[in-house]
Every structure is written in structure tokens, then in C-alpha cells.
Amino acid sequence: MSLTNPPSSSGPLTATSRPAAATVSQSLSLKRSLQATVEENISSRRPTGSGYTSKVRVRDRYHIVGFISSGTYGRVYKALGKNGQKGEFAIKKFKPDKEGEIVQYTGLSQSAIREMALCSELDHANVVQLAEIILEDKCIFMVFEYTEHDLLQIIHHHTQPQRHPIPASMVRSILFQLLNGLLYLHTNWVLHRDLKPANILVTSGGAIRVGDLGLARLFYKPLNSLFSGDKVVVTIWYRAPELLMGSRHYTPAVDLWAVGCIFAELLSLRPIFKGEEAKMDSKKTVPFQRNQMMKIIDIMGLPNKENWPGIVSMPEFSQLHSLTATRAPNHFSRHSNLESWYQNCLKNGGYSAASSVGTPGEDGYDLLSRLLEYDPTKRITASEALEHPYFKNGGPIPANCFEGFEGKYPHRRVTQDDNDIRTGSLPGTKRSGLPDESLMGRATKRMKE
Amino acid sequence: MAANYWASTQRRHWLFTRERLAEIREGLKEKDKVAHSQFPLPDQRLLNIYFSQQLGRLGKRMSTRQQALATAQVYIKRYYTKNEIRSTNPYLVLTTAFYLACKMEECPQHIRFVVGEARGLWPEFIAPDVSKIGECEFSLISEMHSQLIVHHPYRTLSDLQPELALTSDEVALAWSVINDHYLTDLPLLYPPHVIAVMAIIVAVVFKPSSQTSSYGHPAPIAGAMREGGMNFLAALSDKGGTGPPERIQKLIAWLAESEVDIKAVIECTQELVSLYEVWEQYSEKNCKELLGRMVKSKSLEK
């Protein structure tokens, strides 16, 4: 679940513009009105006659305490269990389709169906835990355990007020747990396809949960080629080079490229390949992501048939060729600059064996270079990565990634300011919180089926 | 999980004992005795044959893969362990199960298209309004607790083909036996690999000639299986005796070494034999009339 979709560029963040000095009574009345809007929304359209009615009702089981985020799929709320049910929850409410003012049943999207079905089967300590799914009043409510943090928020916290590195031991624990969750998904033939910091959830106890399976799908003998369903997959900054090159048969390796990008981002606190997304044109043809590919080439060097034999048969190979032809002969490095990028990153971050933050060292570089391997057939797998010296050397890995960490991360921002819970049009604002301009331009639009 | 049957919701939540299944159905009947006496319906298996044929017609017009049809049949079975058939419009349930299964099996069809095709087949029972299907989809998913991933025996069959050196004829035959098992309660009673092994045995041992097809004339199969079954059971209990042909001995040896529950396999075979026997009473017309009368009298199509 994307509790934390990065904001769209259109998003004035209503939550943060609210005066901080709201009185207690004001905030209480806001709370009441929020709950009321949820309930009104649910109860106002009781189906008449013999239609479908849910046996379980959201408002009987949960008390909505606030709004977390919204996205193309709908909205996420924070809730508390009611009537003997303990704990905090994140409720993902899928937006129903509307025809005019009347909400109609129009059939659920395939991605909602996939997410519901997969989350119902999955059970692993490093994968987001589903509590239940309630289908009520033409809406789907997926109830997940609540997670206090996510990697986007943690990375952001380390840039404020000035940059201070995430301790090396925390990075190592995060990465290990992430790979462990991914191994579970891959051994069960599930591709995640949308790994990015915002989708990697972290509990207050320091456990990593891979979240948002909205794009995940089974890859065991699919009836249709995996390509045919959704045209473009994975937020562009984390998109593997074979996808940028137009590959139609992608594999679990796409998720490992994204892990490499996340690893780099945890160390440098910036996306390593921060390209600009080329939008689909009016004919809905998927363009070659020239800018994103350039960002990768800037650091990884130019891919060629020596380091990636399959590249010559990629659909966008000619595009890559023309891209290089228009530049000066020495514009692109033929070899990888990743090692100097990495050494720079360690230096700037203050990572060293002598310092209190420690260092991911040479093993860290080796793992990163194997994750950011151009050739998907040579890229390290989740199970190989878990056996890598980066994890084998350097002692036990704490299950709590915060172990030994002195700092404190802020709680997830939950706002009361949500008068628009009606199933109608949702505002363009995505994430509440994170008033950071550097994040505002995130090119995150996912194009689904 | 998704690829792991042992941890799947299918095994944990949708596998019943015969006794439990009978209890559930008795419970549904108890709740509405009047409807039961007012609207008698054919044997469940005959109804299943009817549903399967209707689904086949719907799927054919959209050239849908068999696996999606199989998934739809499993959804229908699951749904009717939670709901009395006499309180539903079976044509709507069937269409919705098909629509949902196509999405789940990655061969999605647009809801308007599905409704259009279904109306073409059953104009009296399917409203032109897509929201009926959308609403029924909520009901299906809710009753199945969003447990929509179904493990089928087809996969085990393809996995075992090289190991058991099955000929393409045998695979085709086993495949059609698997198709047939969806007409019984077997998908709710046994794991898919047991069904697959049963289908392979039927194909290799009984070889009910090539005329077998899902919706053909099953009578000769039943006869062949009865005889073959005797031989097979004899072979199992009398290892090393005069014994059956080498090919069958090999299969028996493989079975003995595998950890497949042989008793379960035999029970499945018997279930299939009895399906083919009851099939002789099948009348499409009769199913259609009884269902039509039920839906119309109770205005369930509205």
C-alpha cells in the first residue's frame, strides 16, 4: 500500500498550511466531523432491496482518526480498532467509479483484484500485513497493520535540518529485511514491480515491510505476456534499464535494480538516477525514457554488447544508439563511474570505520554494483544477495533496524483535515506532510492498464 | 502462498471433508425448507454439467482459456457453500464468476463485453445493466474473503509429464479428466496434485480410448474405468503377482515412492466413475427449465 505517495506537483499541502495553534476543542470537533463524514459516506447510500450488503461494516470495527495520503487508487486513513479489536490500522479505501453524481458498481480494476488476492495469500514478517478486506457501499476497504514510518520519510528526516547520514548498521538491517521480503515474494512467483522508498514501510519496532502490492503480479506461466497488462511499470527513478530499453519479458531482476537504487539512496539521501519522465503522447505510445536512461549512463557508463549481450535485441536499442551518436565521442564514459560515485558518497556522508555511523565498506560497494548490473540475467538475485559478504561479514544483523540508533523519527503525519471524504473527485494533493520542495517534483505517475 | 499450495488459502480455508460439506449444505437447506420443496433441482453434478456447458459457451465466444473457466467453476462452488442457490440468479453468478476469473487469470474482459455476451446467451436472466455484475462481484469476493487465487491440477500435470514420460495422448486425456473433475465436489475435497495424479492414472491405466471429451458421451468411460479400476486396485494390492503391463507397473512404482495419498487418489477415481454414471441422466433441457422456473418465480433476475 502506498501510505506515502509522494506529492504531485499540483499539491498545495493543506495540512501544513493549517495554523499550528488550533485549539483542542477545534481539533476534537474536526475529529468528530471526519468520523462523521466517513460514516455519512458509508451509510448514506444503503442499498435498497435485495442488493449486496456487507456483513461486516467498517464503522463498526474501526474508528477513523485521520487521513494519511491519497493516490490514483483512492485514499489511506489511520484508524483504531473498535469493539475489542486492538491496535492501529491503515485503511486503504479504493475510490469507486462514478457516473455523474451517482456511484455505480462498474467492476473492480484488475490491479485492485490482484492486490486483494495477493495480500490475502501473503504472510511474511517483511511484507505488509493485511488485517481484513471489507467490501461495503461500492467501495473496497483494505485494512492493513499501521506502520509508523517509511523509507521516504526516514531519508527525508536525514536531510533536515542539514544532512546527516543514516547509520551504516541501520542501512544494512533495512536492506537485509527488504531483500528477505523480496525473496519471499519471488519464491512465491510474485513480482512487486513498484519498489521505491515510499513503498518500503517501517514499523516503530524497526521491522521492514514491503508495501503496496498494487502493481504486483504472479509471473508463473502467465496467460498473457506480462507486458500486455500494464504498459509502464515502476516509478521511473527505480525503473530497471531493461524496462527503459523496452523489454517485454521482465523478470524478478527488475525488483533487484530497484533495491540497488534504494540502497544508493539510503547512503546518499538522494535518488541516484533522478531522471525526468517523458510523458505518453496523445497516441498513447510509450516514449523512450531518454532522460532517465542518460542519468543511468552518467554513472554506470554506456551499456554495450560486451557487458550486456542482450541489449542489441532490445526494442529501444536504436534509440540508445541515436542518443550516443548525437553526442561528442567522449561524452559518455564507456566504463562505470559507480565506484567513484560510491567513494564520494561515503566521504560526503561521513561514513568511515572510525566514525560513529560506521561504513558499508567495500562489501557494500560490491553488493551495490551487483544490484545495479545492466544485464538482468547477470544481476544478483534476492537469495544470492542475502548470502553476500556485506551481510555475512560484520556480525549479526538486528531484526530491529533502529537498534543502537539514538535519534528519533517523527511520527507519520495524520491530518484531520479531510472534508472531502465523499467518494467524489479527489483533490490533487498526494502526501500529507513532507513540505520539501525537492520532493515536490517527483515523477511518480504510474500508468496502469 | 501464491505458488505454494501448502500455505495457500485454498488449502487452509477451502478444503472440506465430505462430512463437513454435507453439513454445510444441510445447513443451507434447513434455512429455507420451503424453497427446497417448491423448487426441486437436479443432482448437483448435473447442475454442474449444465453450468460448465453454459460457461463454456460464454468462454468460447470470447475465446477464453480453460484455466479461467476452471477458476470460475471453483468460484461458483465456493460461493454456493455460503449461499443457497435458490436465493440467487445462477446465470448472474455464473457470468460474474467468469468475469472475475478472467481478471484473476490475467485474461481480462471488459465488463460491458461480458454483459453483452451473457445477454446474447441468456437474455431473460441477464439485465443490460453492468452494475448488476459489479454488485455480484462484491458479493462473490466478499463471500470468498478475497481468497481468489486458485491452484489447479493442470500445473502438476505439466510438471509430471516429463517425469512420467507421458505421451501427448495421455496428457490430453488427463487434461480432459481434470476438466471433468470440476463437475464434481472434488475441487473442494482434495488438493490439486491428488487430482492430477488421479487424472494421469485414468489416462494411462484405463485409457478410455480417444473419444473421451469433457462433454461427450461418458458412458463408455465409466465402463472402462470400472473394469480398469478393478485391475488397478488388484495391481496395487498384489505387487509382483502376474501383474499388469510394464507401463502401469512403472506408474505404480512411482506412486508408491511418491508421497501421494493413494487412498485419496482411489476415492477421486471412484468419484469420477460415479460422475460418468450419473451423466447418463443428464438433460440440458431439464436443468434449464428447473432453473428458469426457480429464477422467474422468485423474480431473482431483477
Side-chain angles (χ1 to χ4, degrees):
Chain A
M1 110 201 88
S2 180
L3 292 178
T4 51
N5 260 22
S8 74
S9 49
S10 64
L13 296 163
T14 49
T16 52
S17 59
R18 173 164 297 280
T23 65
V24 174
S25 69
Q26 260 178 321
S27 94
L28 275 178
S29 74
L30 273 169
K31 262 187 198 174
R32 267 197 297 276
S33 71
L34 177 74
Q35 184 75 19
T37 46
V38 175
E39 292 182 358
E40 181 257 333
N41 169 246
I42 288 168
S43 56
S44 62
R45 265 184 304 276
R46 294 300 305 272
T48 50
S50 61
Y52 168 77
T53 16
S54 179
K55 291 173 184 165
V56 184
R57 305 187 65 78
V58 173
R59 60 175 172 168
D60 294 341
R61 294 178 58 80
Y62 302 96
H63 172 72
I64 311 289
V65 295
F67 163 74
I68 296 172
S69 67
S70 76
T72 46
Y73 54 82
R75 302 185 141 223
V76 181
Y77 298 91
K78 183 176 180 179
L80 296 175
K82 257 165 89 168
N83 298 332
Q85 188 171 218
K86 287 204 177 69
E88 298 176 310
F89 300 90
I91 302 184
K92 183 172 179 175
K93 176 186 176 184
F94 286 82
K95 174 171 70 175
D97 281 333
K98 272 184 52 159
E99 284 185 5
E101 277 307 299
I102 301 155
V103 180
Q104 287 285 8
Y105 288 108
T106 51
L108 294 169
S109 74
Q110 200 184 5
S111 66
I113 299 274
R114 281 188 198 127
E115 185 171 6
M116 292 162 75
L118 284 172
C119 285
S120 300
E121 298 285 327
L122 298 169
D123 180 19
H124 188 268
N126 297 121
V127 175
V128 68
Q129 287 167 6
L130 180 76
E132 65 176 324
I133 299 175
I134 298 174
L135 294 104
E136 183 180 347
D137 197 54
K138 307 187 177 79
C139 292
I140 304 168
F141 298 87
M142 289 186 78
V143 184
F144 293 96
E145 67 166 333
Y146 180 73
T147 51
E148 198 60 77
H149 313 284
D150 60 67
L151 290 190
L152 182 63
Q153 177 221 44
I154 285 173
I155 289 165
H156 176 258
H157 179 74
H158 281 269
T159 64
Q160 302 288 324
Q162 68 257 338
R163 306 181 94 79
H164 55 291
I166 303 174
S169 62
M170 194 195 295
V171 173
R172 186 162 164 259
S173 172
I174 289 170
L175 213 62
F176 186 83
Q177 296 186 57
L178 169 56
L179 285 162
N180 208 29
L182 199 56
L183 174 63
Y184 171 77
L185 293 179
H186 287 176
T187 51
N188 285 291
W189 303 93
V190 177
L191 290 178
H192 187 283
R193 309 200 301 170
D194 194 23
L195 290 176
K196 56 184 175 184
N199 286 344
I200 313 300
L201 309 171
V202 188
T203 68
S204 50
I208 299 295
R209 311 264 204 253
V210 176
D212 199 343
L213 289 134
L215 281 184
R217 58 187 282 188
L218 293 170
F219 61 98
Y220 184 92
K221 291 187 187 167
L223 295 182
N224 282 335
S225 132
L226 282 177
F227 184 78
S228 65
D230 358 52
K231 289 285 178 278
V232 181
V233 163
V234 180
T235 308
I236 188 155
W237 298 343
Y238 308 93
R239 196 176 293 171
E242 63 271 26
L243 295 181
L244 297 170
M245 294 299 292
S247 167
R248 275 147 204 273
H249 294 284
Y250 45 94
T251 61
V254 300
D255 287 337
L256 286 135
W257 178 273
V259 171
C261 297
I262 292 167
F263 187 13
E265 192 165 336
L266 287 168
L267 296 174
S268 74
L269 305 174
R270 291 184 183 92
I272 180 170
F273 308 123
K274 196 176 171 182
E276 280 164 35
E277 182 157 14
K279 299 283 178 232
M280 264 191 231
D281 64 20
S282 51
K283 291 178 209 130
K284 298 237 168 151
T285 50
V286 182
F288 176 55
Q289 298 292 346
R290 174 183 299 262
N291 185 270
Q292 182 63 29
M293 196 68 207
M294 301 256 289
K295 297 285 177 192
I296 294 173
I297 293 169
D298 283 344
I299 293 173
M300 304 307 302
L302 203 58
N304 52 52
K305 54 177 186 290
E306 282 73 47
N307 60 21
W308 184 4
I311 195 169
V312 291
S313 50
M314 294 300 221
E316 303 285 13
F317 183 63
S318 60
Q319 289 274 8
L320 183 74
H321 204 71
S322 71
L323 187 123
T324 55
T326 57
R327 306 283 163 150
N330 298 323
H331 182 85
F332 294 112
S333 171
R334 292 199 64 82
H335 60 268
S336 169
N337 296 315
L338 185 64
E339 184 150 24
S340 61
W341 178 93
Y342 184 78
Q343 296 306 340
N344 247 332
C345 168
L346 295 197
K347 204 173 96 203
N348 295 339
Y351 285 109
S352 81
S355 84
S356 62
V357 294
T359 177
E362 284 313 303
D363 289 337
Y365 169 71
D366 190 75
L367 176 58
L368 181 65
S369 68
R370 287 168 198 275
L371 289 164
L372 297 179
E373 160 67 55
Y374 266 126
D375 187 345
T377 64
K378 288 188 281 186
R379 202 171 298 146
I380 197 166
T381 65
S383 85
E384 288 162 1
L386 288 166
E387 297 293 317
H388 191 275
Y390 174 61
F391 298 119
K392 290 279 151 195
N393 302 336
I397 300 160
N400 173 358
C401 72
F402 300 135
E403 196 169 292
F405 178 63
E406 303 283 302
K408 269 246 173 268
Y409 294 103
H411 287 191
R412 188 179 291 286
R413 184 180 287 272
V414 175
T415 68
Q416 308 301 313
D417 188 55
D418 181 27
N419 300 320
D420 195 44
I421 189 149
R422 286 167 288 121
T423 46
S425 60
L426 297 166
T429 53
K430 301 297 181 198
R431 184 187 179 132
S432 65
L434 273 198
D436 179 345
E437 285 194 12
S438 73
L439 289 159
M440 297 294 282
R442 284 201 169 221
T444 52
K445 198 143 206 177
R446 303 193 308 211
M447 270 151 271
K448 294 195 219 168
E449 53 264 84
Chain B
M1 219 318 289
N4 178 2
Y5 170 75
W6 300 102
S8 70
T9 54
Q10 182 174 341
R11 177 168 173 273
R12 288 181 292 137
H13 302 296
W14 297 102
L15 202 58
F16 304 88
T17 61
R18 276 174 205 277
E19 296 71 29
R20 181 75 196 113
L21 199 56
E23 241 173 71
I24 289 169
R25 288 179 179 154
E26 198 51 40
L28 289 174
K29 191 175 169 182
E30 282 298 308
K31 275 196 211 153
D32 196 355
K33 280 184 165 164
V34 179
H36 266 265
S37 56
Q38 222 176 343
F39 302 105
L41 289 175
D43 182 289
Q44 185 60 52
R45 287 164 295 182
L46 298 176
L47 267 187
N48 289 344
I49 295 171
Y50 181 72
F51 289 159
S52 166
Q53 288 179 345
Q54 299 305 310
L55 264 181
R57 290 172 69 197
L58 187 60
K60 199 166 195 170
R61 291 171 71 147
M62 292 178 244
S63 46
T64 309
R65 296 278 300 266
Q66 170 59 32
Q67 181 154 325
L69 297 181
T71 297
Q73 290 179 86
V74 172
Y75 289 172
I76 296 168
K77 278 181 212 303
R78 289 181 178 182
Y79 189 71
Y80 285 136
T81 63
K82 299 289 190 83
N83 292 277
E84 168 55 44
I85 187 170
R86 289 166 183 80
S87 62
T88 67
N89 171 0
Y91 292 96
L92 178 64
V93 171
L94 202 129
T95 306
T96 310
F98 173 85
Y99 169 63
L100 182 58
C102 285
K103 283 190 279 191
M104 216 38 240
E105 299 297 345
E106 301 291 348
C107 50
Q109 298 284 355
H110 196 283
I111 190 165
R112 291 192 187 286
F113 191 53
V114 174
V115 170
E117 292 296 308
R119 261 184 78 72
L121 290 169
W122 319 293
E124 293 166 86
F125 303 107
I126 299 292
D129 179 7
V130 297
S131 74
K132 281 278 170 208
I133 306 284
E135 183 172 27
C136 187
E137 180 178 36
F138 264 51
S139 181
L140 269 178
I141 295 174
S142 185
E143 293 291 18
M144 292 193 283
H145 300 288
S146 307
Q147 291 152 1
L148 304 176
I149 294 175
V150 178
H151 294 258
H152 291 290
Y154 301 113
R155 207 158 98 187
T156 315
L157 174 61
S158 5
D159 289 349
L160 288 177
Q161 178 180 13
E163 196 173 336
L164 297 174
L166 302 175
T167 66
S168 58
D169 279 355
E170 286 164 346
V171 171
L173 196 50
W175 183 276
S176 71
V177 169
I178 292 174
N179 291 350
D180 287 348
H181 104 284
Y182 292 104
L183 306 173
T184 67
D185 285 334
L186 288 174
L188 298 176
L189 297 172
Y190 294 96
H193 66 274
V194 170
I195 305 293
V197 169
M198 177 273 286
I200 291 169
I201 290 170
V202 170
V204 173
V205 179
F206 308 143
K207 274 201 212 305
S209 80
S210 56
Q211 59 166 309
T212 309
S213 79
S214 297
Y215 312 120
H217 307 286
I221 308 173
M225 283 181 65
R226 264 196 304 274
E227 285 157 34
M230 292 306 163
N231 297 339
F232 186 67
L233 293 181
L236 276 177
S237 52
D238 174 32
K239 283 174 201 144
T242 47
E246 192 194 6
R247 179 107 178 83
I248 294 170
Q249 278 181 355
K250 263 190 170 167
L251 183 62
I252 289 167
W254 176 86
L255 254 183
E257 265 179 44
S258 74
E259 281 168 24
V260 180
D261 180 351
I262 295 179
K263 188 166 162 280
V265 173
I266 292 170
E267 283 166 8
C268 290
T269 318
Q270 287 163 347
E271 189 72 40
L272 207 69
V273 171
S274 100
L275 166 74
Y276 292 138
E277 283 170 352
V278 81
W279 205 321
E280 291 166 37
Q281 305 158 27
Y282 176 69
S283 149
E284 180 178 343
K285 190 163 157 278
N286 187 38
C287 289
K288 194 174 166 181
E289 278 171 8
L290 289 174
L291 285 172
R293 190 167 75 84
M294 177 193 94
V295 175
K296 290 284 178 194
S297 319
K298 298 188 80 184
S299 301
L300 295 164
E301 81 279 16
K302 296 282 161 26

